[in-house]
Amino acid sequence: MPNAKAYSATSDTSPLAFAQIPRREPTERDVEIEILFCGVCHSDLHQVRNEWSAMPTTYPCVPGHEIVGRVTQVGSGVSKYKRGDIVGVGCLVDSDQTCPQCQANLEQFCPHSTFTYNSPDKHGTAPVTYGGYSSSIVVDQHFVLSVPGNLSLAGVAPLLCAGITTYSPMRRWGDLKGKKVGVIGLGGLGHMGVKFSHAFGAHTTVLTTSPNKKDSALSLGADEVILSSDANEMQKHTGSFDFILDTVSADHDINAYLNLLKIDGTLTLVGAPDKPMPVSAFGLLFGRKKLAGSLIGGIAETQEMLDFCGTHNITSDVEVIPIQQVNEAYERLLKSDVKYRFSIDMASLKSA
C-alpha cells in the first residue's frame, strides 16, 4: 500500500504537522490524483478541533475537501479521465449510488455517503478517509470533476465547497435575472454568492455589519450595500427582496432579514450557527415567506457549477500559502483575516 505525504492533526489541541498516510492502489473504478491546490474551509478548522458534536473527529485527521489536481493513474474501467487531466474533488468521495437520493443526483443526502475526510473508509485503507492536505488522493471516478482549462487552479479549489454551496440554492430558486437578491455576509461563502448572483443577472445587494466592506462588495459585482446594523437603512428595504442567501455562521437575528423578503420570497441558510435561531412565526406567515437550508450540491450540479464558472470566468479570490503556514492560516481564519479564502500550494509539501 503506497504512502502519501500529508499534514494531519493527532488531537483536538495539536497543530497540523507533517505525516505519512496510506493511500490505496486504484481499483478499476478509481482515479489517482496528484494534488496541486487545496482550499482551506472553515469546516476544516471545526473538524480538526473537534468542535462539531454531531460529527466527532477521529484522529489522526487529515482535512481538506477543496481539491484540484492532476490525474496520474486510472483504473481499467475508467474512460472519462486519463493521465494528465486536471480535475477536482469536493466534499464527497463515495456514496451507495443506488438509493433514491443518488438516483436523483443528490449524493450529498445519501445515507451512505462518504465525505472526503473523517468518514469511515469502506476500502479499509485507514479507519477514516483522509483529505486533501496531502500529496495525492484516490477517488471513485463518479466523484471526480472536470476543471475548465481557462481558470486559475488556485482559485478553482474553493469552488469545490464554497462555490457549490452558494451556487446550488441560487440555481435551484429559479431564474434570478432582474430579481433582487441579497447576500448576508462577505466572507468565503458570501463573496462567491455575490459573484454568482451578478453572473445570473440579479440586482445584487450585500448585507453586512461592516461599513468598510462596501468598496470590496461593489468590486465583486454587488449593485448596492446595506449596513444591516442600521435599522433605518434596513427599514427602507422592507418587503423588497425576492431571494436572500445567508452565509453567516455567527449568531444573528434572522427575523430582521426575513422582514426584507417580498411575498413568497425565500431566505436560504448556508452558514451554520452553533446555536438555534429564534424565528418569528408571524414573520413567515405575513408574506407567505420561506426559510430554507442547503447543503453543498450533487456531483452533476457541481460539474454544472464548474462549467458555469468556466463560461463566466469565475474563481474564488484566494491568498495562496505553503502548507507550512496552515496553522497560522487557521488563526487568521478565526479573525476573518483573509480575502476571501486560503488556497494551499501543495508543491510546498514536497519539501516537508
Side-chain angles (χ1 to χ4, degrees):
M1 187 179 295
N3 283 336
K5 292 182 176 181
Y7 260 53
S8 73
T10 56
S11 75
D12 59 359
T13 58
S14 66
L16 290 156
F18 176 77
Q20 295 273 357
I21 60 170
R23 291 296 193 195
R24 69 178 183 269
E25 292 284 358
T27 69
E28 65 176 10
R29 291 181 51 84
D30 282 337
V31 177
E32 182 184 72
I33 302 164
E34 174 194 3
I35 299 175
L36 303 177
F37 290 94
C38 186
V40 176
C41 180
H42 210 114
S43 59
D44 295 345
L45 189 154
H46 289 305
Q47 288 270 249
V48 164
R49 298 183 179 181
N50 199 21
E51 293 175 347
W52 284 343
S53 58
M55 298 175 66
T57 305
T58 298
Y59 298 96
C61 174
V62 179
H65 56 212
E66 300 177 339
I67 298 167
V68 173
R70 180 182 293 109
V71 174
T72 53
Q73 187 178 347
V74 297
S76 59
V78 176
S79 58
K80 185 177 178 181
Y81 302 103
K82 64 183 185 304
R83 290 185 63 181
D85 286 348
I86 300 300
V87 297
V89 177
C91 301
L92 300 170
V93 292
D94 213 342
S95 70
D96 61 31
Q97 300 184 44
T98 60
C99 70
Q101 291 86 345
C102 287
Q103 293 301 305
N105 295 315
L106 297 171
E107 294 92 345
Q108 73 272 35
F109 299 122
C110 173
H112 304 110
S113 61
T114 300
F115 291 105
T116 307
Y117 66 92
N118 201 47
S119 273
D121 184 354
K122 75 175 189 180
H123 295 275
T125 311
V128 293
T129 52
Y130 295 143
Y133 293 12
S134 56
S135 56
S136 65
I137 192 168
V138 179
V139 182
D140 183 290
Q141 61 178 338
H142 180 75
F143 296 87
V144 177
L145 299 145
S146 298
V147 173
N150 61 309
L151 300 178
S152 164
L153 298 188
V156 166
L159 298 180
L160 279 304
C161 179
I164 186 58
T165 295
T166 50
Y167 177 91
S168 180
M170 289 186 172
R171 184 75 173 84
R172 194 167 59 250
W173 187 88
D175 185 5
L176 290 174
K177 188 173 182 179
K179 302 296 185 181
K180 187 172 180 180
V181 170
V183 178
I184 307 173
L186 195 66
L189 290 175
H191 94 287
M192 290 307 311
V194 172
K195 290 188 178 192
F196 285 133
S197 178
H198 176 75
F200 284 135
H203 179 90
T204 305
T205 302
V206 169
L207 299 122
T208 177
T209 58
S210 305
N212 60 356
K213 290 188 176 181
K214 181 175 182 178
D215 289 344
S216 296
L218 295 174
S219 69
L220 289 167
D223 296 290
E224 61 179 332
V225 178
I226 297 174
L227 190 61
S228 56
S229 56
D230 185 330
N232 290 330
E233 192 172 354
M234 291 282 280
Q235 181 65 31
K236 295 176 185 176
H237 295 270
T238 297
S240 66
F241 283 86
D242 296 285
F243 178 84
I244 297 175
L245 185 73
D246 187 348
T247 72
V248 175
S249 292
D251 290 338
H252 58 291
D253 180 11
I254 198 77
N255 299 291
Y257 301 101
L258 288 171
N259 193 46
L260 301 179
L261 291 173
K262 290 180 178 179
I263 293 173
D264 287 329
T266 299
L267 188 154
T268 298
L269 303 174
V270 292
D274 292 334
K275 300 176 183 176
M277 295 184 292
V279 176
S280 168
F282 289 99
L284 294 174
L285 296 173
F286 284 87
R288 206 164 57 190
K289 299 166 186 175
K290 303 176 186 70
L291 176 60
S294 186
L295 178 70
I296 50 174
I299 299 304
E301 189 177 45
T302 305
Q303 186 62 64
E304 176 190 305
M305 179 272 304
L306 286 172
D307 294 341
F308 181 88
C309 288
T311 299
H312 294 272
N313 200 29
I314 294 172
T315 55
S316 180
D317 287 15
V318 297
E319 179 180 334
V320 179
I321 61 168
I323 190 70
Q324 292 81 3
Q325 292 179 12
V326 68
N327 292 301
E328 177 188 337
Y330 275 23
E331 295 307 313
R332 289 179 55 195
L333 194 60
L334 287 171
K335 302 173 185 175
S336 300
D337 180 26
V338 59
K339 284 189 173 181
Y340 286 91
R341 301 284 278 206
F342 289 109
S343 186
I344 305 170
D345 182 351
M346 298 309 299
S348 59
L349 190 55
K350 294 176 181 178
S351 61

